Amino acid sequence: MTTEHPTGAALTDPLDLAGIGIGPFNLSLAALAQPLTGLRTAFYDQRPAFHWHPGLLIDGATLQVPFLADLVTLADPTSPWSFLNYLRSRDRLFPFYFAERFHTHRAEYDAYCRWVSENLPGLHFGHQIDAVRWNGSHAVFEIDYTHLDADGEAEALGRGYARNLVLGVGTAPHVPDALRPLAEAPTTPVLHSADYLDHRERLLAADHVTVVGAGQSGAEIFLDLLRARPEGRERLHWLARTPAFAPMEYSKLGLEHFTPDYTRYFHALAEPVRDALVPGQWQLYKGIDHDTLAAIHDELYRRTLHGGWPDAVLTPGVRVEAADRAPGGGVELHLAHAEQRGRTRLTTGAVVLATGYRERRLDTLLAALDPHLCRDSAGRPRVDADHRLVLDPAVTGSVHVQNAERHSHGVGTPDLGLAAWRSATILNSLTAATPYPLPGRTAFTTFGLPHPTA
């Protein structure tokens, strides 16, 4: 194994900004940083190439945000890395124009991001970041990494240096404790929705399938399975903890919770108020798209046209308390109903956990920086208004975070519609100038009491 140093990242000539993780948010930052000639950047990811939720690129599934929520447009509509320029590069502008699609297919968004990642300089895939340290003598962050070969095996060790960092390590699939032992057993038919397409044929062959979770992913998977299974022999259950299979809040004024105005308002609230707000706002980001709900009802209704009901059970208000292997290789779920306060058991051939994602913990990556981190009363890193970790004065460099600050910035944190604005905010804070002027007002709603008038 050899040791290498990335080009231009020597201790005497460090990068201005190093990004860890290349998901949509850091890809947005890299795209907006690219034309800033005075800013030297590099971004690293351990995967061999860009892929965005490949297990959920179900045929026909669309984003829940308009195509304008691409990597750059809401900060710089003239950027060459826009979705419209991607279409132009593929000679697809006129087909897109006539399709009149405001919400693009999820697979198309993935293809667009891969186009950016394959053409944007300064992206380094196959680089696993092992540790980050602050070197006070030279006022730089030291970044230790392992260069991986095409098979994911360690090929070389390296170290880079940067004055500032941005962490965009994304989220990880969440498996409830009750189901984790079965999900981790390779022969048990329990899988997270993130792996759905990899196991779709196996699920279609199962005698009975249960989908757990009433968010968008759960709805799309239930609909896909329903459409693919024979009429009258659907053998499907769909379970949810929520009291209903509820639509996502998509009114125009409701969507203003995903504006910079609301983000600033939320950040300025007291910590206990913020913590109480987020769980109650679940329908803003965990509900189901209206069209998907309508498509599910239409498909179920169509299967009643010749008499009888489809063999599909949709039950909200249910919690999975435990799970065991069932005789014959299936799974036995122990269920509790919140309102009836009753319990029962359900035997199923396979389980798909559409139980969402959780922010990846930064503790391991930032272990060497832990003494410098300022934390809130719950032990979470404090994050300032510019998405920057609050560090003690001994660290003069900045560590920005992307999609790791819902506790401080609210429900818009994982929303693609705020990607370009957050990237521009970070870049503006790192440069002496303001390369991306941002609007002072973005919502008709006034969040909080208005300022008194004379």
Side-chain angles (χ1 to χ4, degrees), residues 216-237:
Q216 184 66 23
S217 297
E220 289 173 353
I221 288 170
F222 178 79
L223 177 59
D224 187 60
L225 291 171
L226 178 63
R227 285 171 167 167
R229 291 172 78 88
E231 291 191 25
R233 302 194 306 276
E234 293 85 1
R235 302 276 289 153
L236 293 172
H237 265 71

Side-chain angles (χ1 to χ4, degrees), residues 181-259:
L182 294 182
E184 292 175 349
T187 59
T188 306
V190 177
L191 61 107
H192 193 273
S193 58
D195 301 315
Y196 172 67
L197 288 183
D198 292 336
H199 299 273
R200 183 174 183 270
E201 295 307 314
R202 176 185 173 194
L203 291 168
L204 291 177
D207 64 327
H208 183 280
V209 181
T210 299
V211 179
V212 179
Q216 184 66 23
S217 297
E220 289 173 353
I221 288 170
F222 178 79
L223 177 59
D224 187 60
L225 291 171
L226 178 63
R227 285 171 167 167
R229 291 172 78 88
E231 291 191 25
R233 302 194 306 276
E234 293 85 1
R235 302 276 289 153
L236 293 172
H237 265 71
W238 186 16
L239 307 176
R241 286 187 307 168
T242 53
F245 295 100
M248 188 177 295
E249 169 56 65
Y250 209 75
S251 66
K252 289 180 171 59
L253 290 179
L255 287 176
E256 290 193 339
H257 285 84
F258 300 95
T259 59

Side-chain angles (χ1 to χ4, degrees), residues 52-307:
W52 184 72
H53 296 304
L56 284 170
L57 301 181
I58 300 169
D59 285 347
T62 61
L63 294 182
Q64 275 68 65
V65 292
F67 73 90
L68 291 172
D70 62 10
L71 301 174
V72 294
T73 293
L74 290 175
D76 180 11
T78 67
S79 170
W81 307 110
S82 70
F83 176 71
L84 289 179
N85 196 43
Y86 161 73
L87 293 176
R88 186 185 68 85
S89 74
R90 294 292 192 268
D91 291 332
R92 294 183 55 231
L93 267 177
F94 272 91
F96 180 75
Y97 166 54
F98 290 121
E100 296 185 344
R101 286 190 174 275
F102 203 48
H103 294 82
T104 61
H105 286 103
R106 195 174 290 166
E108 187 169 33
Y109 178 78
D110 176 63
Y112 153 65
C113 288
R114 277 189 283 108
W115 170 77
V116 175
S117 71
E118 290 165 1
N119 290 280
L120 189 67
L123 305 184
H124 303 275
F125 290 95
H127 284 68
Q128 174 185 291
I129 304 303
D130 301 315
V132 173
R133 291 178 301 278
W134 175 249
N135 184 325
S137 300
H138 292 85
V140 295
F141 292 100
E142 299 176 347
I143 308 161
D144 290 344
Y145 65 85
T146 302
H147 190 190
L148 308 176
D149 63 19
D151 298 320
E153 298 296 326
E155 187 173 62
L157 300 177
R159 177 174 295 170
Y161 302 92
R163 296 186 181 91
N164 303 285
L165 301 176
V166 58
L167 309 181
V169 295
T171 56
H174 171 67
V175 176
D177 291 340
L179 288 149
R180 185 170 292 118
L182 294 182
E184 292 175 349
T187 59
T188 306
V190 177
L191 61 107
H192 193 273
S193 58
D195 301 315
Y196 172 67
L197 288 183
D198 292 336
H199 299 273
R200 183 174 183 270
E201 295 307 314
R202 176 185 173 194
L203 291 168
L204 291 177
D207 64 327
H208 183 280
V209 181
T210 299
V211 179
V212 179
Q216 184 66 23
S217 297
E220 289 173 353
I221 288 170
F222 178 79
L223 177 59
D224 187 60
L225 291 171
L226 178 63
R227 285 171 167 167
R229 291 172 78 88
E231 291 191 25
R233 302 194 306 276
E234 293 85 1
R235 302 276 289 153
L236 293 172
H237 265 71
W238 186 16
L239 307 176
R241 286 187 307 168
T242 53
F245 295 100
M248 188 177 295
E249 169 56 65
Y250 209 75
S251 66
K252 289 180 171 59
L253 290 179
L255 287 176
E256 290 193 339
H257 285 84
F258 300 95
T259 59
D261 281 12
Y262 183 75
T263 301
R264 287 189 287 263
Y265 162 78
F266 184 91
H267 185 270
L269 294 172
E271 180 188 328
V273 178
R274 295 197 306 251
D275 287 347
L277 265 178
V278 171
Q281 295 175 329
W282 65 271
Q283 221 169 324
L284 287 170
Y285 64 102
K286 288 186 177 180
I288 304 168
D289 172 73
H290 289 71
D291 290 342
T292 307
L293 285 173
I296 290 171
H297 191 275
D298 288 348
E299 183 63 26
L300 291 168
Y301 178 75
R302 185 184 67 78
R303 292 172 182 241
T304 69
L305 294 181
H306 303 294

Side-chain angles (χ1 to χ4, degrees), residues 31-66:
L32 288 170
Q34 186 260 333
L36 307 183
T37 55
L39 195 70
R40 295 178 54 254
T41 67
F43 292 79
Y44 305 93
D45 196 293
Q46 68 180 22
R47 298 173 300 173
F50 181 94
H51 287 289
W52 184 72
H53 296 304
L56 284 170
L57 301 181
I58 300 169
D59 285 347
T62 61
L63 294 182
Q64 275 68 65
V65 292

